[in-house]
Amino acid sequence: MQTAEIQRRWLNFFEQRGHTVVPSASLVSDDPSLMFTVAGMVPFVPYLSGLVPAPYPRATSVQKCIRTNDIEEVGKTPRHGTFFQMCGNFSFGDYFKEGAIRFAWELLTTSEEDGGLGFDPADLWVTVYEEDDEALALWKQYSSLPEERIQKLGKDTNYWSTGQPGPAGPCSEIFFDLGPEYGIDGGPATDDDRYVEIWNLVFMQYQIADVNSKTDFTILGELPKKNIDTGMGLERVAFIKQGVQNMYEIDQVRPVLDRAAELAGKTYGENHDDDVRLRVIADHVRSGLMLIADGVTPSNEGRGYILRRLLRRVILSMRLLGVEGASFGELFPASRDSMQSAYPEVASGFDFISRVAYAEEKTFLRTLASGIQILDGAISEAKGGAGSVTGETAFLLHDTHGFPIELSLEIAEEAGVSVDRAVFTQLMQEQRDRAKADAKAKKGQRADLSVYKELRGLGETQFVGYDALNHESRVLGIVVEGAPTSEAREGEIAELVLAETSLWAESGGQDSDQGIIVGEGFEAEVLDVQKPVPGLFVHTVKVTFGSIGIDARAETRVDADYRRGATQAHSATHIVHAALRDVLGPNAHQAGSYNKAGYMRLDFTHSEALSQATKSEIEEISNLAVRSDYEVVTREMGLDEAKSLGAMALFGEKYGDRVRVVDIGGAWSRELCAGTHVSSSAEVGMINLVAESSVGSTNRRVESLVGMEAFQSFAAERAIVQQLSGGLRVPRAEIVAKVEDLSAQLRAAEKKIASLEAARLAEQVPTLLQSAERVGAVQFVAADLGKVGSADDVRGLVIQLREKLGSEPGVVVLAGTVPGDGAGKPLVVAATTASARELGIKAGDLAKRGAQALGGGGGGKPDLAQGGGTDPSQISEALTQIRRLIEG
């Protein structure tokens, strides 16, 4: 049974039993505490927790999920995958244990011919929480399982909670028995891999508090509405129904594995290490495909870092299989073809997906090449010294260049040296400890969203700011320092929830409005407006006069000048986006934006820097659109109708069934957007594109000033031009030529000075050679050159002196002060002859010792090295320390 067919049967089964079919949410979670959607229930958390009233009594979905906490186990076990799909059925105060158990047993054991999944009851086991006699009795009633195949287990396995105060409850898990050839008898209680968990039924019925651990908490009582949250692992059911060994061999994953094996000239099933690598490749390519399809692009932080890590693990795994060149052009199309029947968007968006993936591969292959050069150098040093690559080098390769320790070990082993694994492990642990401490600190800073539960239960905040800047409303709730209260007093920072508001809450790339909230006997300055949970506007204010109480009449007043600037900037974002697509083509998709009064920032998919001519063309098209005074029309309609009209739905954005469509010049710019806009393009005023930069291997960013801010920027530049024209005594049109002429004269003068400085230093060679003295077994030349032009001059002189020493053991160390703050910056340069290095004297060690005396650091190769510091007065001491090191 194909994976897509299992998905279809699941949704049909529950739809026929009164469940609303809810499409999969994005892998990018709405929950601010989560990076990704990590479970099928995540999109339903506001309903399950009671934070937001559920729009339907029961629902079903097949949710896309990403988990990376066990990424190192991928490929090693039959069940660990980063991307997976969770089939879920949910009840929000509707049916409870009886319905959940009855539905689960019916779907699993109904024959395939009758629309079920066709499991043999003889292969199934069930676990229940040891104190949940109700669930045990229901399993006996609705299933044909003998009592010995319904096992009671404790809180550590069969009690669900988020790990935080809130909803919790017992759960019941369903397992498939793979058979005696896979392990010992005894059921799931043995915790043996023979028994595969395929479905978990969570009975959310209690409110808990005082949570100290997974098993140590206080049950406060039953929830007013008991909920059902279940999850069946689609991949797990698929590998069982398809008769394969693991999730990597199912129809949605195996084609990528086979293509990787073919490229590497390997046969799957012949070598354990190769098999693990092939499974990693198959899993991570699919995960990368689905993440990019949901708008994630590679970067060095957050979600983008996770995607980058997955893609790089694919490249490294291919390399360990012997494939050193690019392979994504073969692997990603294989994954697309396997997934498009379930997710058509991976085919329709493949042009974007492939450009992102291929660009990342190209970039990392270059990075990999430079990392291998570092490792090769470390191996050469190891062969000439300690016989092992340092743990610090291995960690640098892992942390900076993305090398897994396995790759360093393999390459080093082939070269006949080892790697200091103990130091590497220690550094990795220190990094993990820092990451945990950082995560804990960030977790402690998050607001407890439960404080808004009752407020959201009163209904959605109605935004009326499209049509009115001032609006009288009513205070529904007040929160001070994270706790609900009945009053906010003068001088306090408080959060206000109103029934309606004209103040825009930050969203869709548009910053929140500025303004005030006033009422009888009070006034408050609005500092921020946010939507911590869907549908709820929370106004952060400073009470500047009087006090505010619950139910008080309150008027929201938007700062008209700020709103005008914000609408100008938001409409300018749409205009620049359309201009970008005009110039660069339809592949230049918006990948993020931010706008506020007078400023807009737009990220877009493109892998190359824009030339000055291209930037000028985009700016010109944008301002021509402003001058054309296009009508800006905003309409509300269904999502499908909007897409049929060609409205752009942007990657990574989430849309409801009803959407707002903003047209500028008709179809010239037509986008889904809930923000506030001008009524005609001329109102934007002026667009001044001030910056263009990279925000990743596949994304660029343009920044523009808008309206009066754009004019003020041009006016400031005009003043600078006038100053230059007067100072240089040339007409404005000749400024560039004059500056270029002066720059050429300056470069010529600097070159002449450098030549004279080099000649001056070269004249000192005979004197310095005569100053050589024997220290131990080597000829030692050392001197303080005083003030020098540059470090390059010192290095050149050091190399000349070393050559003059010939074949005998010799060391040259010169110090000096290069231009810098105050008295300048001290530096020390050391060089050794080949015969000195045979005695174990390394220039890197000498430079490091000297730099330490100067209050800095240094190092380098055994033949030539350099160090620097902050205290020129310690140059004499630095030379003394180097001499002592040689003596030793």
Side-chain angles (χ1 to χ4, degrees), residues 549-714:
I550 299 291
D551 282 332
R553 303 304 300 177
E555 183 180 7
T556 57
R557 296 179 182 175
V558 178
D559 183 319
D561 288 339
Y562 185 87
R563 170 66 76 81
R564 184 182 301 109
T567 59
Q568 288 175 316
H570 203 154
S571 296
T573 305
H574 287 223
I575 290 171
V576 172
H577 187 204
L580 278 166
R581 291 168 62 79
D582 271 0
V583 175
L584 302 178
N587 291 328
H589 289 283
Q590 180 176 326
S593 67
Y594 171 74
N595 50 76
K596 62 179 182 178
Y599 170 84
M600 60 137 289
R601 182 183 75 211
L602 178 69
D603 296 345
F604 60 99
T605 55
H606 196 64
S607 55
E608 298 177 355
L610 304 185
S611 68
Q612 185 57 49
T614 300
K615 289 186 284 187
S616 296
E617 185 178 2
I618 292 167
E619 187 176 57
E620 182 177 355
I621 292 173
S622 298
N623 282 291
L624 284 173
V626 172
R627 190 185 71 175
S628 298
D629 197 18
Y630 289 140
E631 184 181 14
V632 179
V633 177
T634 303
R635 295 172 288 165
E636 188 173 305
M637 62 185 69
L639 179 59
D640 292 338
E641 180 186 358
K643 289 182 177 180
S644 70
L645 291 174
M648 290 192 64
L650 305 178
F651 276 104
E653 289 291 328
K654 302 173 182 66
Y655 303 99
D657 294 333
R658 300 290 295 175
V659 294
R660 288 172 65 87
V661 177
V662 178
D663 291 352
I664 301 178
W668 183 73
S669 170
R670 178 170 289 159
E671 297 187 21
L672 303 181
C673 182
T676 63
H677 289 272
V678 297
S679 58
S680 70
S681 63
E683 293 179 35
V684 170
M686 183 184 293
I687 297 173
N688 177 9
L689 202 158
V690 293
E692 190 266 344
S693 59
S694 170
V695 286
S697 59
T698 57
N699 282 354
R700 306 294 299 178
R701 170 175 292 172
V702 290
E703 298 174 75
S704 293
L705 298 176
V706 182
M708 184 56 68
E709 282 76 4
F711 167 76
Q712 289 169 347
S713 175
F714 281 125

Side-chain angles (χ1 to χ4, degrees), residues 255-268 278 281 285 314 317-334 361:
V256 181
L257 186 153
D258 289 340
R259 188 71 190 105
E262 183 180 352
L263 291 172
K266 304 288 185 180
T267 300
Y268 182 63
L278 288 168
I281 292 163
V285 166
V314 173
S317 295
M318 289 298 291
R319 184 180 181 87
L320 291 172
L321 289 170
V323 179
E324 297 188 4
S327 60
F328 282 8
E330 300 288 338
L331 301 177
F332 270 79
E361 181 183 38

Side-chain angles (χ1 to χ4, degrees), residues 317-455:
S317 295
M318 289 298 291
R319 184 180 181 87
L320 291 172
L321 289 170
V323 179
E324 297 188 4
S327 60
F328 282 8
E330 300 288 338
L331 301 177
F332 270 79
S335 188
R336 171 202 62 199
D337 295 345
S338 301
M339 296 299 295
Q340 63 182 345
S341 62
Y343 301 98
E345 62 268 24
V346 302
S348 60
F350 192 71
D351 180 64
F352 169 78
I353 295 167
S354 60
R355 283 188 296 105
V356 170
Y358 301 168
E360 180 66 17
E361 181 183 38
K362 182 179 179 180
T363 299
F364 185 54
L365 285 174
R366 290 198 300 264
T367 302
L368 198 58
S370 65
I372 287 174
Q373 288 181 347
I374 294 172
L375 184 56
D376 286 344
I379 289 171
S380 296
E381 287 192 26
K383 286 182 175 179
S388 67
V389 174
T390 66
E392 289 85 356
T393 299
F395 179 74
L396 170 71
L397 287 167
H398 169 87
D399 196 46
T400 304
H401 297 274
F403 272 55
I405 185 62
E406 291 78 13
L407 182 63
S408 296
L409 289 170
E410 182 167 314
I411 295 174
E413 184 179 355
E414 289 176 357
V417 300
S418 61
V419 176
D420 190 339
R421 186 70 182 265
V423 171
F424 171 83
T425 302
Q426 177 187 342
L427 293 170
M428 283 294 295
Q429 187 58 51
E430 290 173 2
Q431 186 188 60
R432 291 190 189 101
D433 292 343
R434 288 193 299 270
K436 286 182 179 178
D438 183 54
K440 185 176 181 181
K442 288 180 179 178
K443 185 176 180 180
Q445 294 167 6
R446 294 188 190 119
D448 182 1
L449 296 183
S450 63
V451 74
Y452 307 113
K453 177 180 177 179
E454 291 185 9
L455 297 171

Side-chain angles (χ1 to χ4, degrees), residues 100 295 337 407 481 527 549 750:
D337 295 345
L407 182 63
E481 295 184 353
L527 306 177
E750 289 174 341

Side-chain angles (χ1 to χ4, degrees), residues 173-196:
E173 298 176 331
I174 306 170
F175 292 79
F176 179 84
D177 182 0
L178 293 173
E181 64 271 27
Y182 287 89
I184 61 175
D185 196 9
T190 63
D191 197 27
D192 192 86
D193 285 344
R194 167 177 168 175
Y195 304 94
V196 180

